[in-house]
């Protein structure tokens, strides 16, 4: 009977749970799904991480390449993020060029990288005006069940913390860079941005870490990104109904708690991998 109700009247089905301050999957309104992080899973990448938030699964691989710095920023390298939503992660996505949601996610990640200063791009400069690193950060969703942005930001952060760049020496006579793949060093992570995403039901009920179904039934979505100093790095609200300042403040407070939890989780995983080696 419940299955029939859920299919025929999905919104009413969800409302019947929200009335009782819980959700169809048993979570409380402000509860995140179980979150797991694995690092170094792609041996061919310079850094990688696999993140699961509930069923939503994102893998991030980072490839570093040497290139010329831009004329505007001769002393900086750069980071190029890309989010891919292939048909294998959900029947809602089609093969072909990236759709609107993938493009919006890539842009959001790029904005977070810039505003949070997770890495100082000066650190990626090898030889001012001549040589720098570019980090290609590819995030591929393997299973889509809502809250893509949070999973992407965690995967990116963990992969950056796992990245090891080879040593580069530029010989003055030859002016050619020599790359020593045997000697590598980690990146200096300046800030730890973490996102928290929310959905609003019927313009009033706020839930955290929505599933794909909850997203599709909601009247508004919101993602808040903060760092360990409680700085607000990004607020992303793609349309929908308006939010009161009070509700937004609630979201920011919840995001700050989530930031602490995720930073602790990522550091624990990095530490356990180091000790295992």
């Amino acid at each position: 009977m419940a299955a029939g109700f859920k299919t025929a009247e999905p919104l009413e089905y969800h409302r019947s749970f929200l009335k009782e301050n819980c959700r169809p999957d048993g979570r409380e309104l402000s509860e995140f799904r179980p979150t797991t992080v694995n690092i170094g899973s792609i041996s061919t990448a310079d850094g990688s991480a696999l993140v699961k938030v509930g069923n939503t699964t994102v893998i991030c691989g980072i490839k570093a390449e040497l290139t010329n710095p831009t004329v505007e920023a001769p002393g900086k390298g750069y980071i190029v993020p890309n989010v891919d939503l292939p048909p294998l992660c959900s029947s809602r996505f089609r093969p072909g060029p990236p759709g609107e949601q993938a493009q919006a996610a890539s842009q959001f990640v790029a904005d977070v990288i810039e505003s949070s200063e997770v890495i100082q791009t000066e650190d990626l400069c090898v030889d001012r005006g001549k040589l720098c690193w570019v980090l290609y950060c590819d995030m591929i969703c393997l299973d889509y069940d809502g809250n893509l942005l949070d999973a992407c930001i965690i995967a990116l952060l963990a992969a950056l913390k796992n990245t090891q760049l080879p040593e580069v020496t530029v010989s003055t006579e030859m002016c050619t860079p020599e790359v020593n793949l045997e000697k590598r060093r980690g990146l200096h992570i300046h800030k730890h941005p973490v996102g928290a995403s929310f959905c609003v039901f019927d313009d009033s009920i706020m839930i955290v870490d929505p599933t794909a179904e909850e997203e599709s039934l909601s009247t508004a979505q919101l993602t808040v990104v903060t760092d360990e100093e409680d700085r607000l790095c990004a607020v992303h609200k793609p349309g929908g109904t308006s939010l009161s300042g009070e509700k937004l403040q609630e979201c920011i407070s919840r995001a700050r708690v989530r930031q602490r939890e995720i930073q602790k989780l990522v550091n624990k995983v990095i530490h356990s991998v180091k000790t295992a080696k």
Side-chain angles (χ1 to χ4, degrees):
M1 172 61 201
F5 177 37
K6 184 183 175 186
T7 314
E9 295 284 350
L11 191 53
E12 285 306 323
Y13 176 76
H14 271 75
R15 279 181 185 141
S16 68
F17 284 92
L18 296 173
K19 273 210 302 273
E20 306 298 324
N21 278 334
C22 70
R23 290 148 80 171
D25 60 10
R27 284 186 288 160
E28 290 176 14
L29 303 190
S30 65
E31 194 180 334
F32 281 86
R33 290 170 290 181
T35 303
T36 58
V37 178
N38 285 311
I39 58 162
S41 16
I42 310 175
S43 56
T44 51
D46 295 302
S48 61
L50 175 77
V51 168
K52 290 190 78 162
V53 180
N55 289 329
T56 296
T57 310
V58 172
I59 192 160
C60 176
I62 297 180
K63 206 77 186 125
E65 285 182 13
L66 287 168
T67 186
N68 304 105
T70 59
V71 180
E72 302 83 51
K76 294 179 177 182
Y78 42 104
I79 303 173
V80 181
N82 183 56
V83 177
D84 188 17
L85 295 169
L88 90 111
C89 75
S90 167
S91 56
R92 73 180 67 206
F93 304 116
R94 306 259 68 90
E100 203 176 312
Q101 192 177 351
Q103 286 178 25
S106 298
Q107 186 55 55
F108 171 74
V109 174
D111 292 345
V112 169
I113 290 170
E114 195 175 335
S115 63
S116 69
E117 295 179 340
V118 54
I119 281 181
Q120 305 246 305
T121 43
E122 291 85 350
D123 294 349
L124 299 175
C125 177
V126 178
D127 190 0
R128 189 181 165 84
K130 294 181 184 155
L131 202 62
C132 71
W133 287 108
V134 54
L135 302 181
Y136 292 104
C137 307
D138 289 314
M139 286 147 277
I140 300 164
C141 182
L142 304 177
D143 191 346
Y144 182 89
D145 187 19
N147 199 358
L148 170 74
L149 300 182
D150 285 14
C152 283
I153 296 292
I154 300 171
L156 174 76
L157 178 63
L160 285 170
K161 285 181 79 83
N162 174 244
T163 298
Q164 297 276 326
L165 295 183
E167 191 179 77
V168 182
T169 44
V170 182
S171 65
T172 38
E173 297 89 63
M174 304 291 284
C175 281
T176 50
E178 283 179 27
V179 180
N180 183 352
L181 295 171
E182 300 307 308
K183 279 181 99 171
R184 290 176 172 263
R185 61 173 180 84
L187 291 168
H188 180 44
I189 306 296
H190 284 261
K191 291 283 185 286
H192 293 71
V194 174
S197 291
F198 306 84
C199 267
V200 181
F201 269 85
D202 297 331
D203 304 341
S204 59
I205 301 170
M206 185 77 98
I207 62 165
V208 73
D209 181 24
T211 62
E213 185 167 31
E214 286 170 337
E215 282 179 352
S216 68
L217 298 170
S218 67
T219 49
Q221 293 177 33
L222 172 79
T223 300
V224 175
V225 181
T226 61
D227 68 15
E228 62 267 49
E229 289 170 10
D230 286 345
R231 273 193 329 151
L232 196 55
C233 306
V235 175
H236 177 67
K237 186 177 176 297
T241 51
S242 62
L243 277 182
S244 68
E246 194 185 347
K247 279 265 190 283
L248 183 59
Q249 209 49 58
E250 259 175 60
C251 293
I252 294 170
S253 302
R254 183 70 187 90
R256 286 172 175 160
V257 174
R258 175 71 168 170
Q259 193 283 331
R260 307 262 185 292
E261 291 165 357
I262 293 301
Q263 186 173 346
K264 208 162 125 186
L265 172 67
V266 170
N267 286 344
K268 195 173 117 186
V269 173
I270 301 269
H271 183 71
S272 65
V273 169
K274 275 187 184 148
T275 45
K277 281 178 183 170

